[in-house]
Amino acid sequence: WAKADGRGRWAVFDPVRSARDRAKSALAAALPAALERDELVIEYQPIVATDDQRLIAVEALVRWQHPQLGRLGPDRFISLAEETGLIVDLGDRVLATACADASRWLAEFPDAQLRVSVNLAARQASEPGLVGKVSTALRRTGLPAELLQLELTESAVMATTGEPLRSLRRLAALGVRLAIDDFGTGYSNLAYLRRLPIHTLKLAGAFVEGIRGDDPVSQVDERIVDALVRLAHALNLSVTAEAVETRHQADRLLALGCDTGQGRFYGPPQEAGGITALLRGSADVATRV
Ligand code: C2E
Ligand code: MG
Ligand code: MG
Ligand code: MG
């Protein structure tokens, strides 16, 4: 079969792909209303010290509580939101909610000094209103700038030049921390480390996943982590390992000098109440089995 694809070209008809595309456009069409109806839910995942499992920070991870499809992960809708530009509104919501929750945690558990880390899409980073929006969110919630971290991927940083780069610097000057997300899997053009006041490198889960035992792949991944930790520390940056799933990985990451870790081993993403319970319970958040 063949059918016109609307742009005057002919394409081979693929029933599976077209069903998937229809599902995708249906989600894209429903997203603006979902935002209005407040169907977004934020889950927070613990980021803990590798040495004593102290809760240092939480990462805000957005989900869509879809009335028919249930709770959808960001991989189902973030790229759609980026394509349509809705990511800016969506990101504003996440930022405001994350700052409000973090400010409540600070009021109830001042000693914890719990930081909140918010993902920033490339489009948000390049948006002229960014500094104003972040300052407003901090002012409205009373959250100190030092307790907010913004995560950008290497590609988002690379796409950020000129005025937007200056606004990231202004945010850092306010005290907001900047982290590079999924470090080591993007363009890895390290020149941006000189152009931006980065605080933290988040090592991509792919390297952590490779740490399994004594096989040769595992040795390579351990050496990569070792080298990246040394690079980070030489630049006075802290290192967070992502996607830590096993005790073996947690032990190796501690030995390799990673400062903090995040992953199912330490605790899954959970709603704000779960983090409050952790803060109320004890400083040890590990779900050790
Ligand atoms: P990310 O920022 O790298 O977030 C870490 C991802 O690792 C999360 O996936 C988290 O649930 C997952 N994860 C947690 N523990 C483990 C583990 O032990 N093993 C493995 N393999 N993975 C683990 P999630 O929640 O599906 O988010 C996917 C991506 O969506 C995020 O990757 C981030 O890039 C994006 N995202 C999430 N929330 C937002 C948001 O509010 N704004 C923007 N712009 N992007 C977001
Ligand atoms: Mg992230
Ligand atoms: Mg990441
Ligand atoms: Mg990611």
Side-chain angles (χ1 to χ4, degrees), residues 153 181-182 242:
T153 61
D181 202 353
D182 303 336
E242 295 190 63

Side-chain angles (χ1 to χ4, degrees), residues 57-166:
V58 289
E59 178 175 4
L61 296 162
V62 70
R63 279 87 180 86
W64 175 2
Q65 190 61 47
H66 191 285
Q68 281 87 41
L69 302 173
R71 194 166 286 200
L72 303 178
D75 292 339
R76 296 283 299 277
F77 61 90
I78 285 288
S79 67
L80 293 173
E82 294 203 54
E83 283 163 28
T84 60
L86 203 66
I87 190 72
V88 175
D89 281 347
L90 187 156
D92 290 349
R93 299 284 182 94
V94 175
L95 179 72
T97 308
C99 288
D101 285 332
S103 153
R104 270 195 297 275
W105 287 319
L106 179 66
E108 199 176 344
F109 310 97
D111 295 342
Q113 288 290 306
L114 189 70
R115 202 180 301 136
V116 70
S117 198
V118 174
N119 292 286
L120 216 59
R123 202 143 166 172
Q124 293 175 271
S126 307
E127 201 232 337
L130 180 68
V131 179
K133 279 174 181 171
V134 173
S135 317
T136 303
L138 292 172
R139 186 162 28 77
R140 281 205 184 131
T141 59
L143 185 73
E146 291 72 21
L147 293 184
L148 175 64
Q149 173 166 283
L150 298 175
E151 300 188 8
L152 294 104
T153 61
E154 293 174 293
S155 32
V157 171
M158 293 309 293
T160 306
T161 52
E163 192 56 46
L165 199 61
R166 274 189 286 282

Side-chain angles (χ1 to χ4, degrees), residues 42 115 205 264:
I42 300 180
R115 202 180 301 136
R264 285 197 286 277

